[in-house]
Amino acid sequence: MFNLLTAEKIKMRRSKKLWIALAILFILPIIQVINSQLTVHHGTELVQVIDTVINGATGILMMKKNGFTILLVLIVFISLFIGEEFQNGTIRNTLSLGRSRVHYYVSKFLAAAIFAFVGVLGMTVLGIASYTVVFGFGEVDGITNYIRYAIQSFSVLYLLILANVSIYVLISFLTKNSSISIVWSFLYTIATGFLPEIFQHTENFGHVTFWFTETFLFYFYFVSPADIAEIPRMIVVSIITIVLSSGLGILLFKRTDIK
């Protein structure tokens, strides 16, 4: 396993896709603080519920503010990162050395998870710093223990994103093709992003909305007491999603015929 992770680290460092994806994630906060400054300059007041990030303190919610964009970047990166292994045939070289398919699958998931962590951590730090410079650090309304809130919010938001990473890895291993994986991962994200809102307006399927991590990532604001009270449910749903998708992915990959 350690050798596989070392190999993944070397490949990722040499990958232009990695640096392009990180650049997109890192530049977003800079663009957004400039846009927010222009908005204020033209006489419009920033509102936390609408704009999500309005000062340095609320910069901890950069993952929430850019949730859909982050998922799109992850879709493309993971689909190319895994799909090209099948298309170029390099997966056969690794498996022919006697590497376990379980270890191979897990190493890809961990590599994608580490990439996602570095990306969102950099985005969050840059968001806090840039908004602090322009608007001051300020505070988050209703939050008295900011350090605890910040750690909790970042951890839960990352866990929600990690649950989607596990799904994208599963789709990539099932399709074995970068382009097809991008399409299906995008359709999955769109469906789980918009269907929960539709279910919410129905009597019999309203509870289904809270089994999609996108429900929390897209529609919760992470500042109201009601939203914060849902954090345990967010954690449970994310962990269940990761375990089920990874378990299914490993099971199917072990039965896959690598041509």
Side-chain angles (χ1 to χ4, degrees):
M1 173 64 79
F2 180 77
N3 290 337
L4 285 173
L5 288 175
T6 302
E8 296 299 343
K9 181 176 70 174
I10 295 173
K11 284 189 287 186
M12 290 178 71
R13 283 183 175 178
R14 296 176 178 175
S15 173
K16 292 181 179 179
K17 297 184 289 292
L18 170 72
W19 301 111
I20 293 173
L22 287 178
I24 293 173
L25 295 178
F26 290 171
I27 202 173
L28 273 176
I30 310 301
I31 295 175
Q32 288 168 342
V33 74
I34 294 173
N35 183 63
S36 295
Q37 174 60 26
L38 292 174
T39 299
V40 172
H41 179 73
H42 287 89
T44 302
E45 182 180 357
L46 296 179
V47 180
Q48 201 278 325
V49 175
I50 298 174
D51 299 289
T52 305
V53 177
I54 61 174
N55 55 28
T58 54
I60 196 66
L61 300 177
M62 288 303 297
M63 276 185 278
K64 157 63 185 171
K65 182 177 180 65
N66 298 285
F68 186 66
T69 303
I70 293 171
L71 294 185
L72 289 182
V73 171
L74 289 174
I75 286 172
V76 175
F77 176 78
I78 293 173
S79 296
L80 294 174
F81 175 58
I82 297 176
E84 288 180 353
E85 294 276 11
F86 288 94
Q87 293 169 239
N88 297 334
T90 51
I91 185 175
R92 292 195 298 270
N93 298 333
T94 303
L95 297 181
S96 64
L97 296 175
R99 304 298 185 188
S100 165
R101 290 198 179 195
V102 174
H103 289 170
Y104 185 85
Y105 187 100
V106 173
S107 69
K108 289 295 184 183
F109 171 69
L110 291 177
I114 293 171
F115 163 76
F117 179 78
V118 172
V120 298
L121 178 63
M123 169 187 282
T124 302
V125 171
L126 288 170
I128 293 174
S130 57
Y131 272 85
T132 296
V133 170
V134 177
F135 298 103
F137 187 75
E139 61 182 12
V140 181
D141 289 339
I143 302 300
T144 54
N145 188 336
Y146 178 76
I147 298 299
R148 177 183 177 184
Y149 169 77
I151 294 174
Q152 184 182 62
S153 297
F154 180 87
S155 301
V156 172
L157 283 166
Y158 173 68
L159 191 58
L160 292 172
I161 289 174
L162 187 61
N164 285 277
V165 167
S166 70
I167 296 292
Y168 301 150
V169 170
L170 166 63
I171 293 174
S172 295
F173 271 93
L174 289 179
T175 60
K176 300 186 286 294
N177 181 283
S178 298
S179 300
I180 298 175
S181 176
I182 289 174
V183 172
W184 279 108
S185 296
F186 177 75
L187 291 176
Y188 165 82
T189 303
I190 293 296
T192 54
F194 291 100
L195 285 180
E197 187 176 22
I198 297 175
F199 288 151
Q200 189 63 35
H201 299 292
T202 65
E203 181 178 352
N204 297 323
F205 296 98
H207 64 282
V208 177
T209 62
F210 299 106
W211 284 100
F212 295 103
T213 55
E214 280 78 3
T215 299
F216 305 112
L217 190 60
F218 295 161
Y219 302 114
F220 279 59
Y221 297 104
F222 288 86
V223 290
S224 70
D227 290 353
I228 294 175
E230 289 293 328
I231 284 179
R233 192 206 297 252
M234 298 181 197
I235 295 173
V236 170
V237 171
S238 297
I239 292 176
I240 290 176
T241 301
I242 293 170
V243 171
L244 290 181
S245 60
S246 298
L248 179 61
I250 291 172
L251 178 63
L252 294 177
F253 179 51
K254 288 175 67 176
R255 298 180 178 180
T256 299
D257 181 24
I258 308 298
K259 299 180 180 181

